[in-house]
Amino acid sequence: MAERSTAAVDVADNSGEKSPAAQAAKATADGVDTQDGRAPDEPMPEPDRERTPAATTAAPELHSGHKLARRYRLEECVTRLDGFSSWRAMDEKLRRAVGVHLLPADHPRARGVLAAARSAALLGDPRFVQVLDAVEENDLVYVVHEWLPDASELTAVLASGPLEPHEAYQLVSQVSQAMTAAHREGLAHLRLTPSAILRTSTGQYRIRGLAVNAALRGITSDTPQRTDTEAIGALLYAALTQRWPYETDAYGLTGLPKGVGLLPPDQVRAGVHRGLGELAMRALANDGATASRQEPPCTTPEELAKAVAAMPRIRPPEPAFTAPPEYQQTTYQQGSYGRPAVHPGMTTVLPHPVPPPSPLQSRTGRVLKWGVAALLIAALGLGSWQLAGTLLDRVNGDSGNSGPTQQNSGNDAPKDKPSKPLVIRDASVFGRDPIKPADARKAVDGDPSSAWITLEFRGHANFGNLDDYDDGSGVIVDLGAPQDVTELNVDLYNGKHTVEVLAAAPDASSPHVASDFSQEIVKLGSFKKINAKLDTPVKTRYLLIHITQLPSSSGGYRGGINEIKVFGRAD
């Protein structure tokens, strides 16, 4: 399947509360569900959702160093639970860390895990930790997914305190929008806990374990949208208060006092943003209770995302200004230069300090003054001579003496910094219905022999004139951080495509529709190869190679991208 960046492992969360979101919090070990943590080998209760009985099949007895598909080398077992195990592994082909879930092929949940992993891989949404491979081989079923070494679990982030209002706003906005997109494709999470939310070094929130974590534990729900919505409300509540909104402690967070029910966030912690607090209550209160202003509860991620969008935008806090240190006078400026030391017991009358002579009154100063004066006179003379020469050349040119002249002022114009290849951190397939999302990284792997290739379409070059491909297709390139792009090389597969290259705004986060890419790099035209050098660098993190029409092939229309290279300003 896909060959993307790296992966996080989410396999052993606490669960077992009194409501759908709280169920994901009470089992024995979510507080240690980290990329380096371990969970106990015992079943996890799910009282409010259907859960298949704990598997009797033992987890595969593998060891560090074992290889899967002659490629994935197991390095550290992170969890062993319910007949499956999860590992941090190394993809030796791409030389990157990945996460692997392993279970026997005869495990009662093996079919469900494979189906969930393959469905999640087809989503191709960069807001989720991506499934890279799902295979049944040699009596084993294994799922390979990204490992994000620069990301932190929300559990760890909240350990240092509640989030600022702007950060909490970003959390609920990004997670609710991502889950809205997942539910539109028929995918639910059902294990949306603080350990399933990762914050990257760029401030983006990513969700791991979509569909797969619930399948590993045999968890189902008759109301998946309501379950995920309440879970998002619990995440927001915890982000605002640093408390878990149920009576049981979970994820390193203290629960609410027993017997008082669900308290509004501003009654738990002073200074909570009122709008966000009410939003958390509307997502959590799905059993009849509502927030203080009596708005109706949010029962789906889409309703919650719309409620977030309707709020006044919360701006980030102003950067703190650190005052410079107080100016300290030197000993000379304090007037103690040359004074004799005063010993204890001595009575000394100190004379008034005599200011030292001006530096320019000394012999060295006089020499310096004459030298500077001589340089100024020479500079004036040289400038006058050059001005006269310029005027004389103009007169000669007007009178017909237009012989070639060349002046060298001795001051070369500053040269632009050279361009260098930029590292492409990730790639994903663009479009309402992504075409072969698992192959996106083949367009940026540095190997021209591999390529992202579309399906074959019949009848029309614009992707068969199908409704699912009204916006065309292509590849979104992620540079990891905003960069000054100066040059772009694209080698297209199978002849000339109708294509354009667009860039997102520097502050864009996870753009995925054409309107998110507001800057034009290459105008729409017919290309086999694109070699574009920009007169002015474009600041962006995300580039879209947007294909609107495909070249003809043997039986229809098919295209793709062999390789993408991006260049930018050197530091």
Side-chain angles (χ1 to χ4, degrees), residues 355-491:
S358 172
L360 293 180
Q361 298 301 323
S362 63
R363 181 177 180 181
T364 304
R366 289 196 296 271
V367 172
L368 181 61
K369 284 195 297 184
W370 283 109
V372 172
L375 287 175
L376 288 174
I377 293 172
L380 288 172
L382 180 61
S384 300
W385 178 77
Q386 289 181 335
L387 180 60
T390 302
L391 293 174
L392 181 60
D393 289 343
R394 290 183 179 177
V395 172
N396 291 337
D398 293 341
S399 61
N401 298 326
S402 57
T405 61
Q406 181 176 1
Q407 292 185 5
N408 183 7
S409 64
N411 297 322
D412 295 333
K415 297 180 179 179
D416 290 338
K417 293 181 179 180
S419 296
K420 66 174 183 180
L422 298 178
V423 177
I424 297 176
R425 299 295 182 186
D426 201 0
S428 58
V429 176
F430 168 82
R432 189 186 317 165
D433 185 6
I435 301 173
K436 297 185 179 179
D439 292 343
R441 286 200 61 86
K442 291 183 179 180
V444 297
D445 60 2
D447 182 4
S449 63
S450 65
W452 168 75
I453 302 173
T454 70
L455 305 172
E456 187 171 82
F457 294 86
R458 303 297 176 91
H460 300 274
N462 58 339
F463 299 87
N465 200 25
L466 299 176
D467 292 340
D468 287 344
Y469 304 100
D470 283 347
D471 294 334
S473 188
V475 171
I476 298 174
V477 170
D478 182 1
L479 301 177
Q483 305 277 0
D484 287 327
V485 176
T486 59
E487 185 177 349
L488 180 78
N489 296 337
V490 181
D491 182 14

Side-chain angles (χ1 to χ4, degrees), residues 6 13 32 103 126 163 171 206 210 223 242 279 319 365-366 393 413 420 432 462 551:
T6 47
D13 294 353
V32 294
L103 65 165
L163 300 184
L171 167 68
R206 297 187 66 180
L210 178 66
T223 56
Q242 203 185 10
L279 199 64
R366 289 196 296 271
D393 289 343
K420 66 174 183 180
R432 189 186 317 165
N462 58 339

Side-chain angles (χ1 to χ4, degrees), residues 20-21 183 223-231 283 286-288 298-301:
H183 279 282
T223 56
Q225 295 206 49
R226 173 174 162 177
T227 298
D228 284 342
T229 304
E230 186 171 349
N286 284 326
D287 293 319
C298 298
T299 58
T300 67

Side-chain angles (χ1 to χ4, degrees), residues 45-66:
E46 299 286 343
D48 295 324
R49 271 177 280 173
E50 294 185 13
R51 175 184 169 90
T52 60
T56 58
T57 306
E61 291 295 334
L62 302 177
H63 56 81
S64 297
H66 182 87

